[in-house]
Amino acid sequence: MTEPRARAARHKGQLNFEKELRGLLYAHGDDEDPLPETVRVLDEITTDFIIETCHAASRHATLNGRQKVKLEDFKFVVRKDDRLLGRMMELIGMEKELKEARKGFNTDEGKVGLERTGPKKRRRAMKAGEKDEDGDAGDGVDDGEDAMEDLMFGPPASVAG
């Protein structure tokens, strides 16, 4: 951390990571209810570290001629801290694994017609005059007609059992 930055006035006295830091302190052998001053100091250190890291990544992105900060900028900032870089790479790998696992659960099995298409294609189809799943053409919105019919006449026979 090269230069200390003043905390913004709206963050003065506000604890950003109080719950997490209390758990971390307890896990490392502190009392279940640590001193408020200890939590406050650790919160300031943590918040300042995050702010400084983000500023350094932003500075690196600017020097490379970009307005947006990318993951590579953060990698560059923490490149000298092997433990931090290793943990960062581990978390990135876990995120990719989770994303791939979620794709396995996102199947379109059992969906027919417009339900399989995205919202843009569905809107285009509605504008073309096709009927949507609640039987009215045009807006693609369930405007409560089905719910109102269920209240007045009871649910359809296939649902009633």
Side-chain angles (χ1 to χ4, degrees), residues 14 39 74 78 105 126 145 148:
Q14 175 184 347
V39 175
F74 285 100
V78 300
F105 290 108
M126 293 304 121
E145 290 173 316
M148 194 60 141

Side-chain angles (χ1 to χ4, degrees), residues 64-144:
N64 283 329
R66 286 184 274 113
Q67 290 182 346
K68 292 187 178 181
V69 179
K70 292 185 175 183
L71 184 61
E72 285 72 30
D73 299 319
F74 285 100
K75 288 179 187 177
F76 180 82
V77 170
V78 300
R79 71 189 182 282
K80 294 180 182 174
D81 188 346
D82 291 335
R83 287 178 55 196
L84 189 57
L85 183 61
R87 178 67 175 150
M88 185 176 165
M89 298 306 291
E90 180 183 349
L91 289 172
I92 292 168
M94 286 189 340
E95 180 189 21
K96 287 180 182 176
E97 286 179 24
L98 287 172
K99 201 178 277 189
E100 289 298 318
R102 284 189 195 114
K103 282 184 183 177
F105 290 108
N106 266 350
T107 62
D108 290 336
E109 287 181 26
K111 293 187 176 181
V112 180
L114 291 177
E115 296 172 5
R116 273 198 344 226
T117 62
K120 286 185 180 178
K121 285 186 179 178
R122 203 172 303 132
R123 277 194 296 269
R124 273 190 239 127
M126 293 304 121
K127 286 181 182 177
E130 296 178 20
K131 295 185 181 251
D132 62 0
E133 53 271 351
D134 67 341
D136 51 355
D139 59 2
V141 176
D142 182 10
D143 47 14

Side-chain angles (χ1 to χ4, degrees), residues 9-88:
R10 65 179 184 193
H11 297 296
K12 280 254 192 244
Q14 175 184 347
L15 299 178
N16 300 314
F17 305 105
E18 180 179 10
K19 181 180 167 188
E20 293 85 355
L21 288 172
R22 286 180 179 276
L24 184 69
L25 286 168
Y26 183 66
H28 285 277
D30 199 355
D31 192 37
E32 193 170 348
D33 189 28
L35 293 173
E37 195 63 22
T38 305
V39 175
R40 186 188 63 75
V41 168
L42 281 175
D43 188 81
E44 280 185 27
I45 291 169
T46 305
T47 304
D48 290 343
F49 173 76
I50 292 170
I51 290 171
E52 289 298 319
T53 304
C54 290
H55 280 293
S58 175
R59 199 174 316 118
H60 183 261
T62 303
L63 289 173
N64 283 329
R66 286 184 274 113
Q67 290 182 346
K68 292 187 178 181
V69 179
K70 292 185 175 183
L71 184 61
E72 285 72 30
D73 299 319
F74 285 100
K75 288 179 187 177
F76 180 82
V77 170
V78 300
R79 71 189 182 282
K80 294 180 182 174
D81 188 346
D82 291 335
R83 287 178 55 196
L84 189 57
L85 183 61
R87 178 67 175 150
M88 185 176 165

